[in-house]
Amino acid sequence: TKRSDCFVLTIGKMTPSRMRSAVIAAIYLLFFVLLHSSSAFGVNAPMKVIVTGAAGRTGKLVFSCLIEDPRFQAVGLVRTEKSAKKLVKTTKCGLDHVIVSDVTELFTENGNGIPKGLDGAEAIVICTSAVPAISKRSVVKAMLKIPFNVVRGKKAFNFRDLRFLYKPGQYPEKVDFEGQIAQIDLAKKLGMRQVVIVSSMGGTDPSNFLNSIGKDKDGNGNGDILLWKRKAEKYLIESDLEYTIIHPGGLRKEATAPEELVLDIDDKLLKNEKRSISREDVAQLCLAALTVGRGKRVSFDCIAREVEEGKTVKSAEEALAEFLETGKTADYSL
């Protein structure tokens, strides 16, 4: 055609140096097109996932698993610069993968709004939680009781004498209710469709021991962590977002013997004698929620139990897929 003839004539008039520059420019252009059109060639771009509470023990494991999985592009949110540096050092991720932001202050007068670097995220995994600290005064009192306990033939140090308190501004209502609602709202504002929450079993029982942490003997104080978590969960299920809410049993280190995941609903697993699960298993369930749980709206409890040697153990994805086929989910009217 006339246009192609003009192109040929133009190329013919080029000097060797201009020809090399044109070839290099064409190569860069082709590379750019291939990089940003991977889906057109049957290659899915990594799913961008935000992990809040990424400096915590469970959040760090979720973040690490996502960083190591080519299916995902992880961004971790932490509360302080110190936590950010520690996370980068531990996971060996790039600085661009970690953002410092207090999720409890996202949309308050003191907050700075939506942090930069979160655009394009498709899902958020919420691993934030209020964490109590041991009261030093209760430790001293327990230590002073040791001689008397020994004389009376009792256990020298009674761990039940210890009291746990939340730091100012880090109460369950602030972190597990207001903070989680802010994160759910963040998902809405960023146009995300999927939210995964790592919560806790026991939410159907107001008298659960965990609710007493932070309260005095008269029941006053900043406690009720499970109740505040459940209120935030209700806020999520009443939205139009897709979600997976995970209620683990007691969290512990990775088991030395083979274990299988057990999933159920409405605190039924609390009847088991052993009702714990490793943080590693919870992290794997979070990844499963982002894959086989995508497009679902489900809330469940989980523990792990030992299996006989030689028995095949289902992966987290297989266990969740099998549970999803039952159609069960938590009843929030309880």
Side-chain angles (χ1 to χ4, degrees):
T1 63
K2 186 176 181 180
R3 182 173 297 177
S4 62
D5 289 342
C6 292
F7 178 74
V8 172
L9 288 171
T10 303
I11 292 292
K13 293 179 181 179
M14 280 189 179
T15 62
S17 60
R18 287 187 176 180
M19 179 71 77
R20 283 194 297 271
S21 298
V23 171
I24 292 172
I27 291 172
Y28 274 113
L29 178 61
L30 179 61
F31 177 77
F32 180 83
V33 171
L34 289 173
L35 183 65
H36 292 273
S37 305
S38 56
S39 58
F41 294 89
V43 181
N44 293 323
M47 178 184 185
K48 187 172 183 179
V49 181
I50 300 169
V51 181
T52 61
R57 284 182 289 177
T58 303
K60 188 187 301 180
L61 286 171
V62 175
F63 181 72
S64 297
C65 289
L66 290 171
I67 285 288
E68 296 169 2
D69 194 319
R71 296 175 297 176
F72 305 103
Q73 177 191 350
V75 177
L77 258 64
V78 297
R79 203 161 56 88
T80 65
E81 291 282 354
K82 182 180 178 181
S83 296
K85 292 177 181 178
K86 189 175 180 180
L87 184 62
V88 169
K89 183 178 180 180
T90 303
T91 62
K92 296 182 172 63
C93 68
L95 288 172
D96 57 326
H97 285 279
V98 181
I99 295 173
V100 178
S101 177
D102 187 344
V103 295
T104 64
E105 300 287 347
L106 283 175
F107 305 113
T108 65
E109 292 182 1
N110 299 325
N112 296 318
I114 299 175
K116 294 180 180 179
L118 303 183
D119 291 340
E122 299 178 55
I124 183 170
V125 182
I126 300 176
C127 298
T128 52
S129 179
V131 180
I134 298 176
S135 165
K136 294 179 180 179
R137 181 177 295 181
S138 70
V139 174
V140 173
K141 287 183 176 180
M143 295 289 286
L144 292 174
K145 286 183 179 180
I146 290 178
F148 300 99
N149 291 338
V150 172
V151 171
R152 295 171 183 171
K154 297 181 179 180
K155 185 185 290 186
F157 190 89
N158 189 352
F159 286 94
R160 290 186 176 275
D161 288 334
L162 299 178
R163 286 196 63 213
F164 293 84
L165 302 171
Y166 296 101
K167 293 181 180 179
Q170 294 296 307
Y171 306 126
E173 181 180 5
K174 182 72 173 176
V175 178
D176 297 280
F177 179 60
E178 294 176 9
Q180 286 198 11
I181 285 180
Q183 293 171 75
I184 295 166
D185 288 342
L186 174 66
K188 294 177 182 178
K189 291 179 184 293
L190 289 174
M192 285 186 268
R193 290 297 310 160
Q194 189 179 17
V195 175
V196 179
I197 293 181
V198 178
S199 186
S200 179
M201 274 204 297
T204 63
D205 181 14
S207 63
N208 188 289
F209 167 74
L210 294 178
N211 288 322
S212 68
I213 296 176
K215 295 181 179 180
D216 59 24
K217 293 181 180 180
D218 297 322
N220 300 315
N222 297 286
D224 293 329
I225 186 168
L226 298 181
L227 300 183
W228 288 118
K229 284 180 181 290
R230 195 166 178 83
K231 285 184 179 181
E233 291 168 22
K234 287 181 179 179
Y235 180 79
L236 175 59
I237 67 172
E238 290 169 0
S239 73
D240 61 352
L241 294 168
E242 300 163 6
Y243 60 83
T244 301
I245 301 171
I246 303 171
H247 299 129
L251 294 171
R252 53 172 167 76
K253 294 181 180 180
E254 191 171 8
T256 54
E259 291 185 325
E260 64 180 359
L261 293 171
V262 182
L263 277 53
D264 210 331
I265 59 171
D266 301 332
D267 289 336
K268 294 174 184 176
L269 295 177
L270 287 176
K271 298 175 183 177
N272 291 35
E273 183 179 351
K274 293 183 178 180
R275 44 184 184 271
S276 62
I277 185 171
S278 71
R279 296 179 188 277
E280 287 79 5
D281 280 337
V282 174
Q284 289 301 319
L285 277 170
C286 288
L287 266 67
L290 294 169
T291 53
V292 297
R294 201 168 185 187
K296 307 296 183 181
R297 292 166 60 87
V298 63
S299 177
F300 61 87
D301 308 335
C302 57
I303 60 172
R305 65 185 175 199
E306 293 183 5
V307 296
E308 297 177 3
E309 190 174 347
K311 181 180 178 180
T312 303
V313 177
K314 295 184 179 70
S315 67
E317 287 191 353
E318 292 170 333
L320 180 56
E322 186 177 273
F323 175 79
L324 290 171
E325 289 179 0
T326 68
K328 294 194 295 186
T329 190
D331 181 0
Y332 281 86
S333 67
L334 296 177

